[in-house]
């Protein structure tokens, strides 16, 4: 699969699979996101939103990938809002 067709989660699965032998769960990706500084969190969310705005094809694999990305984006967004409310 060419790199330009892989989304954030697929790239993350590939990297963590090579490092640790198994893909990182979405919850752990979101937990690691909370360690980012404000500017890096904002940049990551903007990049993630840009990926989500790209069109999806009607095959079941794309729909599942998009659903996983939406769930991760929701978790990351909630963490970002909580950290902003805490002043971090």
């Amino acid at each position: 699969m060419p790199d330009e067709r892989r989304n954030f989660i697929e790239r993350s699965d590939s990297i963590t699979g090579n490092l640790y032998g198994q893909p990182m769960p979405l919850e752990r990706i979101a937990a690691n996101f909370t360690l980012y500084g404000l500017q890096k969190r904002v940049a990551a969310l903007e990049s993630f939103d840009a990926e989500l705005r790209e069109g999806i094809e009607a095959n079941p694999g794309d729909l599942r990938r998009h659903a996983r990305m939406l769930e991760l984006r929701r978790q990351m967004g909630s963490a970002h809002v909580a950290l902003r409310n805490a002043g971090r």
Side-chain angles (χ1 to χ4, degrees), residues 3 5-12 51 65-66 69:
D3 283 340
R5 287 284 301 147
R6 295 187 337 168
N7 63 31
F8 173 82
I9 294 174
E10 292 169 333
R11 291 187 307 266
S12 174
E51 280 190 47
R65 269 193 309 247
H66 195 73
M69 286 183 64

Side-chain angles (χ1 to χ4, degrees), residues 24-56:
M24 188 180 294
L26 295 182
E27 295 78 22
R28 185 155 178 215
I29 294 172
N32 287 344
F33 174 77
T34 62
L35 301 175
Y36 293 176
L38 175 63
Q39 297 298 326
K40 191 171 179 181
R41 281 195 321 265
V42 169
L45 289 173
E46 288 175 352
S47 172
F48 213 82
D49 288 342
E51 280 190 47
L52 286 172
R53 279 191 292 273
E54 293 175 4
I56 60 171

Side-chain angles (χ1 to χ4, degrees), residues 62-79:
D62 280 348
L63 295 175
R64 279 191 284 276
R65 269 193 309 247
H66 195 73
R68 285 185 71 204
M69 286 183 64
L70 285 173
E71 174 61 22
L72 181 58
R73 173 57 176 92
R74 186 190 61 75
Q75 291 177 9
M76 291 167 65
S78 297

